[in-house]
Amino acid sequence: MGDTIESVSEGCGATPATIDRWHSEAKEHHPWFVRAMAEQALYAFEQENDSVEKSLCDAIGMYAFITARHPDRADEFADLLICELARIANEDFADAYRSFVNSLQSERDVP
């Protein structure tokens, strides 16, 4: 970590004001940010052969890193992420997600 807004802006070619705005929009769950995180999760699933669980955990982890929030406090973001994934996901991801949710339900049903 330890990067300043100035060093980040130099690295990506955006102004410090733009980086600051992007950071604020991420904290506000701006639609473009949620979409980017959903696309990253889908990419990890498709191209890196990550499981649905790992793809989602990594997206929440990236959200926590970018916003400097604890991942356990990401409920609102997680809801938005799932909704966005439902819109953009292909059939393979949707099937894997359903299986993942069903396995969670099965775990809850075990006494």
Side-chain angles (χ1 to χ4, degrees):
M1 213 128 129
D3 289 329
T4 63
I5 287 180
E6 290 77 17
S7 67
V8 171
S9 71
E10 288 174 16
C12 73
T15 67
T18 298
I19 299 298
D20 189 50
R21 188 187 82 238
W22 289 346
H23 188 249
S24 294
E25 289 176 352
K27 286 184 171 185
E28 296 167 359
H29 307 137
H30 198 277
W32 72 261
F33 178 74
V34 175
R35 178 66 178 248
M37 294 293 96
E39 287 175 353
Q40 177 57 36
L42 190 56
Y43 175 85
F45 175 79
E46 292 175 340
Q47 303 300 319
E48 298 174 10
N49 296 317
D50 285 352
S51 66
V52 168
E53 182 177 16
K54 182 169 180 352
S55 298
L56 294 174
C57 287
D58 287 352
I60 297 296
M62 188 177 299
Y63 163 80
F65 174 76
I66 290 169
T67 62
R69 293 181 172 157
H70 194 280
D72 290 344
R73 309 222 359 122
D75 292 346
E76 181 183 350
F77 172 75
D79 291 345
L80 295 169
L81 178 69
I82 295 301
C83 289
E84 189 63 28
L85 280 166
R87 281 194 283 276
I88 68 170
N90 59 27
E91 191 172 322
D92 289 340
F93 185 90
D95 289 344
Y97 179 75
R98 278 190 288 280
S99 294
F100 172 65
V101 170
N102 287 337
S103 72
L104 294 176
Q105 184 63 40
S106 296
E107 289 175 15
R108 281 185 46 195
D109 293 341
V110 175

